[in-house]
Amino acid sequence: MTLRIVFFGTPAFAVPTLTEIVGQGHEVVAVYSQPPRAAGRGMALRKSPVHETAERFAIPVETPRSLRSAEATHTFEALGADVGVVVAYGLILPPAILAAPTHGCLNLHGSLLPRWRGAAPIARAIMAGDEESGVMVMQMEEGLDTGPVAMAERVPIGPDTTGGELGERLSRLGADLMVRALSALSRCGLETNPQPAEGVTYAAKIDKAETRIDWSRPAEEVHNHIRGLSPDPGAWFEGKFGRNPERIKVLRSSLADGNGAPGTVLDGLTIACGSGAVNLTDVQRAGKQPVKAEAFLRGVRAMPDSVT
C-alpha cells in the first residue's frame, strides 16, 4: 500500500532516505527542512541538501523556524499524512506534530540506541573510540530519542574511519532500513520494542570550542578526535609555518611512534601527544584545498618546533 508521507530532514545524510522513499512510489506530500542559510564567500542564502532534492522531485517544501505555533500545527495537520519520516531534521517535533499522522512519526537515528541519543551520534561514537555503530528506525515520542525501536542495522567502525565515511555508510544503510520499515507499516506489520534502560549516553551537538586539538591527551584520543570531526567541522591546531601563526585543519591522522612534550613537532607532521604521537596525513590551510602532509611540507616556509 502506498503511504502518504511528510518528510523532515536537512543535511546530505537525509537525502538517500528521501530519494529511496520517492523511488518506492510513496506519496511524499511535503518536505520540511531547515531554512536556507548564508554560506560561501558571498554569504548568499543556500538551501539545504534535502530542500534541493525535494525541489528536483517537485515536492512542496516548508521551512518554518519553529513548529510550536498553532499555525504550524494547522498547516501540518492539513497535509493528512499517514506517517511522518524524520532524518536529521534539526528541530524538535512538539506533541501536536508527533500525534497528527495516522501512524505517528518514524525517526532514522545514526547510533545503536540507547547509546548516543542526541544531535551528533556519529562524531561522538568515533571520538569515544567505539568499535561499532549503526542505524535504527524508531517510533518517535516526546523524549529525546527515547522511542521504541522497530529495525536496526549494525556496522563496525574501523580504527581509521572518519565521521564523514561512517556517516555516508549509515545514510545508505538507513535509507534501505527506512523503506523496509515503511513497507512493513503499510502491511500493518511494523513491530517495535522498548529501548533498554541501561547504557544510555548523550551525543551533544559539537561545540566550536571543542574542535581545537588538545595535544596533552593520549595519542589514541587525539586520533579519535581528529577522525570523528573529519571532514566537518574539522579538528584544528595552530602553528607558525611562516611569518604568522596559521590555523591548520586536520582531516586524517594515524598513530605514530615517538615521545616528547605535548605539541612538539617530532618529524615532518608527526606531533607528540600526552603519551605517544600522531602523524597528520591530510591537512588543510585556511582558504586552501586539502593536501597530503608531503605537499603541505613543500609549501611552507619553515617548520616550528612545536604547535598548539
Side-chain angles (χ1 to χ4, degrees), residues 18-85:
L18 174 59
T19 302
E20 282 294 312
I21 289 172
V22 173
Q24 290 295 314
H26 294 293
E27 184 185 6
V28 182
V29 294
V31 163
Y32 279 67
S33 194
Q34 289 286 292
R37 310 281 190 198
R41 293 185 177 180
M43 297 302 286
L45 290 179
R46 181 178 297 171
K47 297 173 182 177
S48 76
V50 166
H51 190 152
E52 292 179 341
T53 302
E55 289 188 335
R56 287 198 292 271
F57 288 125
I59 301 171
V61 180
E62 299 283 344
T63 58
R65 297 191 179 278
S66 172
L67 293 171
R68 297 191 177 278
S69 68
E71 180 182 359
T73 300
H74 177 74
T75 298
F76 181 69
E77 289 176 341
L79 294 171
D82 293 318
V83 63
V85 173

Side-chain angles (χ1 to χ4, degrees), residues 35 48 85 91 103 109-110 120 130 153 174 219 242 246 250 261 280 282 285 304:
S48 76
V85 173
L91 284 181
H103 299 288
H109 187 74
D130 289 4
E153 288 280 359
E246 288 186 64
V250 185
L280 310 182
D282 292 68
R285 302 173 84 168

Side-chain angles (χ1 to χ4, degrees), residues 264-279:
T264 299
V265 178
L266 301 176
D267 179 36
L269 280 182
T270 299
I271 314 297
C273 301
S275 60
V278 293
N279 184 34

Side-chain angles (χ1 to χ4, degrees), residues 67-264:
L67 293 171
R68 297 191 177 278
S69 68
E71 180 182 359
T73 300
H74 177 74
T75 298
F76 181 69
E77 289 176 341
L79 294 171
D82 293 318
V83 63
V85 173
V86 182
V87 187
Y89 175 41
L91 284 181
I92 299 294
L93 271 58
I97 299 293
L98 292 174
T102 305
H103 299 288
C105 295
L106 298 178
N107 175 242
L108 183 71
H109 187 74
S111 81
L112 297 176
L113 295 166
R115 185 163 177 80
W116 303 125
R117 294 173 178 171
I122 294 172
R124 295 294 178 191
I126 294 177
M127 292 166 72
D130 289 4
E131 296 181 352
E132 186 180 44
S133 184
V135 281
M136 289 184 161
V137 173
M138 68 174 179
Q139 186 79 45
M140 295 183 71
E141 54 185 33
E142 289 186 50
L144 178 63
D145 298 328
T146 58
V149 173
M151 292 183 175
E153 288 280 359
R154 310 174 81 93
V155 298
I157 302 176
D160 296 312
T161 299
T162 66
E165 291 166 343
L166 180 58
E168 185 175 345
R169 185 176 182 187
L170 293 182
S171 71
R172 295 195 305 267
L173 283 173
D176 178 70
L177 195 68
M178 181 58 78
V179 295
R180 284 160 48 196
L182 292 172
S183 178
L185 181 66
S186 70
R187 302 189 305 269
C188 299
L190 186 65
E191 298 180 357
T192 61
N193 295 291
Q195 295 182 33
E198 302 79 25
V200 176
T201 58
Y202 289 94
K205 183 179 178 180
I206 302 297
D207 189 279
K208 288 183 180 179
E210 63 181 312
T211 57
R212 185 169 191 160
I213 298 171
D214 180 358
W215 301 111
S216 69
R217 297 169 66 184
E220 186 172 359
E221 292 184 11
V222 172
H223 175 57
N224 291 342
H225 179 82
I226 290 168
R227 64 194 185 98
L229 296 179
S230 177
D232 186 62
W236 59 277
F237 67 95
E238 284 189 348
K240 195 172 182 180
F241 298 94
R243 294 177 179 176
N244 301 307
E246 288 186 64
R247 177 181 291 196
I248 307 298
K249 184 176 179 179
V250 185
L251 300 173
R252 284 191 183 275
S253 61
S254 60
L255 297 176
D257 294 327
N259 291 287
T264 299

